Structure formats: structure tokens, C-alpha cells
Amino acid sequence: MNKSLEIKPLSSASATFPSSYRWELLALLWFAFFLNQADRQIFSVVLPLIRKDLGLTDAELGLIASALVWTYGLLVPIAGFIGDRYSRRNILGISLLFWSLATLSTGFCTTLIQFVLLRGIATGGGEAFYAPSANSLLSEHHSQNKSLALSIHQTAVYFGIILSGLIAGYVGEHYGWQRAFFLFGSFGVILGIVFFVRVRKDTPAIAKELLSDKQAVSVAQVASIIVKKPTVWMLTLAFACMVFVNVGYLTWMPSFLAEKFDQSLTEAGFTSLFYHHVGAFLGVLMGAKIADSFAKTKPQSRLIVQALGLLLGAPFIYLMSVSLSPSVTYVALFFFGLFRGWYDSNIVASLYEVVAPQIRSSAYGLMLACAFLVGATSPFLLGILKPTLGLTTGLASLAGFYVLGSGLIATAVVCFFKHDKET
């Protein structure tokens, strides 16, 4: 390994800042992640209104959804490398302000190109710079309770998606889909200002080494370490399977329930997201607790929990799609979410078991890039297939990707983890 990338003991940020600041940081990042997910989901909730108002086709609507994820996937590795080298406070604050302004501006869109540029490229580009720096910063400040802090942070995804479904659906039906974008975008701008006022500037691990060693660390050197660890790639491919399912579900499930059970936009936006994400909220806390309990003596337990989550969740994806009863569909959505939470609880923690602290933001950025570039095709493909095969068949087929992802993680546990584990 290149000398500039040798694993060296790092001083813990948790020993530098008081406990009250560490939890305030977690709270601010939770609200930022809440808006990150809510702003992403608004479009799917008001999609029927946009289709009716602007006359866009299902394929065009799917393209808009995919454009955001493609942009996210292309830029997130850059965000990861930057997050290992510059102040994550500044990266996160600028990112939050940028995507919030893009969300607000989406309310003015009237054409496909404008949606692709503002909702797809601008919003997706701003959001890409959030996750790598946020998870790296949280891990550094909560080194003694890493899984707990990361799991609490992860719950913002579920609250953001649930409440955006309820609020955006209501606002869209009563005041127009444009005002849903105005509302959430404005909140993000306010939070961005608060973030810069309250969060202290930081110096990432690699930057500290550069200051002391006066040695440059290239992107190629970081990437070469990650490429040589098969566990990272198994985790990344499994993540791609999960993202493919998740993005497709989030984009089309509100429309699916509205059409299949003749629900209003508000009801469909709420029920399609509520039951699943309540289950996911419980599952992520459960999965973190199980993983933390066993990982002390068996670090691969984090990966095993993820593999089980995907495997056990697959039957419920199929059931939610083919069921003819709303009640059965809601039960299936709940258990789909519960086991998805098992997987989510260890996405970051599992990766961090096999990469060094100095390159964690970079590694997570690459992982997100690969996963989202693959997963981005899901809304577009489901939109193309919708007029012929229908959403029931399309959504049911997503169960196979969960089974595939589970097998990939199991392969990593059996064949590669022991060799790749960071000591």
C-alpha cells in the first residue's frame, strides 16, 4: 500500500467536541436528510397532476425520475473524493442550499426539458454531495455509537418520504402541484442558513495527513485500494439491486395504488409510502441493534443482517404487487419495509468494516455512484413497460432483484470478507 495511504491512528472528533454538539450535529443532519428525501419524492407524489396538466407520457415521466438518479450516480463519486479532502460542513451546507433552490424552481417548470434540467440534473446534482460527507462526519463524531447514530440518521429517509407523500399530495390536490415544490424548497433554504450558523468547520482525515506529511493522495490511489477488495464490489452490486427496486417503487407506487384501488392522490401518496416506511423505521432500528450485538465478536454479522433483510423482503414485494385487497397490500408494504430496514441499517457500517477511515467518504461515493447509475434505469423501464405489461407485473418482478442482492452479500461473507476486513 502507498505510504500516503497507510492506516494511521486518527484522533476521534468525539473526544474534541462536547456531547451536546455531537447530538445537535446529528439533529441538523437528520433534518437535512429529511428534506433530501422529501424533495426527491415530491415529483412521484404529484406525478398524476403533472401528467394531466402538462400532457406528458408515462415514458417521459419515467425519464424525469431517472434523470435525477443518473445525475446523482455520476456526481456522487466526485462528492466522495471532495468529502475526504475539504470541509464537510461547507460541502453539506452548499449542497443543501443548491438542491433546495432547484426544488423551489421546479415549481415553475412547464416542459419536459425544464423538468429534466431542474428536477433531474440540478436537484440530483445538489443531493449527490450530501450522503458521503454526512455519513463520514457522523461516523467521526459518533465513533463509540456509530451504528446507532447512522441508523437514527437513516430514519430521516422514512419520515421524509412519508410526510412528503402526505403533504405534497394534499398541497397538490388543493393548491396545485407547483406549490408543493415551493413549500419544501423554501424550508430547505432556511435550514441551509441555520446549518452554516450552527455547524463548526471541520478538517477531514486525509487533509490532516496532507498538512502533516506534505504528501499528495491521488484519486487513482484511493480507487486502486477499493477495486482490490471484492467485498466492496459485492456490497455495491447488492446496493444496486436494492436501489433498482427502491427507485422503481417510489416512483410508481402512488400511481399504482391510485389506479388499482381508485384512491385519491392524497390517499395514494400517503398509503403507498406510510406502511412501507413505518416498517422500515422499525426495521432499521432492529437491524442496527442485532448487528451491533453480534458485530463485536463477529464483524461479518452486519453483512449477514443485510443479506437476510433482502431475502426475507422479496416475497412481500411480490405480494404487494399482485394482491387484489388493499389491506393485504398494506401488510405486504409493511413487511417489505421492515426487512428493507434490516438492510438499510448496515449499508454504511458494513462498507466501513472493509475500508480505512481515511478513504471512507471516497469509497461510499463510488459505491453510491455504481448503485444509482444501475438503479436509475428502473423508473424509465417501468414507464416504458406500463402500457403493455402493466405496473402489476413490473413491480412484482422487482422481487428478483432482492434475491439477487442477498446472494451477492452472502458470497462476500463466505468468500471475501475475512481477507478484506480492516484491522
Side-chain angles (χ1 to χ4, degrees):
M1 184 181 296
N2 187 286
K3 184 178 178 181
S4 65
L5 287 176
E6 290 179 354
I7 309 305
K8 303 175 183 179
L10 297 175
S11 59
S12 174
S14 60
T16 306
F17 297 117
S19 177
S20 59
Y21 174 75
R22 298 199 302 272
W23 291 107
E24 180 185 2
L25 174 66
L26 176 57
L28 289 170
L29 289 174
W30 190 95
F31 282 110
F33 204 19
F34 171 92
L35 288 173
N36 180 286
Q37 298 300 308
D39 291 354
R40 195 180 302 180
Q41 187 60 24
I42 296 169
F43 175 80
S44 299
V45 175
V46 299
L47 184 150
L49 295 176
I50 295 175
R51 180 201 289 120
K52 181 180 179 181
D53 190 20
L54 303 180
L56 299 177
T57 67
D58 289 323
E60 288 173 333
L61 293 167
L63 176 62
I64 295 168
S66 291
L68 184 147
V69 189
W70 278 323
T71 303
Y72 187 99
L74 288 171
L75 291 181
V76 77
I78 299 173
F81 286 114
I82 291 176
D84 277 332
R85 289 157 177 77
Y86 300 100
S87 169
R88 288 159 292 186
R89 190 281 300 264
N90 291 346
I91 294 171
L92 292 168
I94 293 171
S95 169
L96 173 57
L97 287 172
F98 188 88
W99 91 62
S100 296
L101 288 171
T103 297
L104 192 155
S105 300
T106 302
F108 296 106
C109 291
T110 57
T111 67
L112 173 64
I113 295 300
Q114 290 172 348
F115 272 108
V116 169
L117 291 176
L118 283 172
R119 198 271 169 181
I121 297 175
T123 303
E127 290 184 351
F129 286 82
Y130 177 80
S133 290
N135 286 304
S136 176
L137 192 62
L138 273 179
S139 296
E140 186 176 300
H141 282 75
H142 291 267
S143 57
Q144 301 303 313
N145 54 354
K146 185 188 307 177
S147 283
L148 175 62
L150 291 172
S151 294
I152 292 174
H153 183 242
Q154 179 66 25
T155 63
V157 173
Y158 315 135
F159 281 96
I161 292 174
I162 290 172
L163 291 180
S164 68
L166 180 62
I167 297 171
Y170 180 84
V171 172
E173 277 194 323
H174 292 84
Y175 303 102
W177 60 265
Q178 296 91 339
R179 295 194 178 183
F181 289 99
F182 296 157
L183 177 65
F184 282 92
S186 298
F187 279 133
V189 172
I190 294 171
L191 181 61
I193 295 171
V194 173
F195 193 88
F196 272 111
V197 172
R198 296 299 304 167
V199 177
R200 307 176 191 181
K201 190 174 180 180
D202 64 291
T203 304
I206 283 182
K208 292 176 183 176
E209 291 191 358
L210 291 176
L211 289 173
S212 60
D213 297 345
K214 306 300 182 183
Q215 295 177 327
V217 182
S218 70
V219 170
Q221 288 172 323
V222 176
S224 67
I225 294 174
I226 298 171
V227 167
K228 293 175 183 176
K229 295 199 171 190
T231 300
V232 175
W233 290 104
M234 294 293 102
L235 289 173
T236 299
L237 291 172
F239 192 25
C241 291
M242 181 270 181
V243 170
F244 189 91
V245 172
N246 194 52
V247 176
Y249 152 74
L250 289 175
T251 300
W252 289 110
M253 199 66 187
S255 297
F256 176 69
L257 291 184
E259 295 173 7
K260 187 170 186 177
F261 298 121
D262 195 27
Q263 295 180 348
S264 68
L265 185 62
T266 302
E267 184 181 5
F270 177 72
T271 56
S272 65
L273 304 174
F274 176 75
Y275 297 102
H276 174 80
H277 290 95
V278 166
F281 174 78
L282 297 175
V284 78
L285 297 178
M286 186 188 304
K289 183 67 174 178
I290 295 171
D292 278 346
S293 297
F294 289 97
K296 295 175 182 177
T297 56
K298 196 174 183 181
Q300 61 266 43
S301 297
R302 302 189 191 282
L303 284 75
I304 294 172
V305 169
Q306 287 189 288
L308 287 173
L310 294 179
L311 184 63
L312 295 173
F316 295 103
I317 297 175
Y318 180 81
L319 181 60
M320 78 171 190
S321 306
V322 302
S323 172
L324 299 178
S325 164
S327 297
V328 174
T329 300
Y330 301 154
V331 171
L333 280 167
F334 174 83
F335 282 102
F336 165 32
L338 181 75
F339 293 117
R340 175 259 178 100
W342 281 30
Y343 174 84
D344 282 355
S345 65
N346 288 281
I347 293 174
V348 178
S350 290
L351 178 68
Y352 287 2
E353 291 286 352
V354 291
V355 296
Q358 291 92 329
I359 59 171
R360 283 177 175 173
S361 182
S362 302
Y364 189 51
L366 287 174
M367 182 182 187
L368 286 171
C370 296
F372 276 84
L373 286 174
V374 173
T377 58
S378 180
F380 185 48
L381 290 176
L382 290 175
I384 292 175
L385 296 174
K386 182 174 179 286
T388 53
L389 296 180
L391 280 177
T392 296
T393 301
L395 291 172
S397 68
L398 297 178
F401 288 88
Y402 257 39
V403 175
L404 175 60
S406 178
L408 289 166
I409 299 175
T411 301
V413 171
V414 174
C415 302
F416 305 116
F417 182 83
K418 186 177 180 180
H419 177 266
D420 293 341
K421 175 75 174 70
E422 280 294 327
T423 55

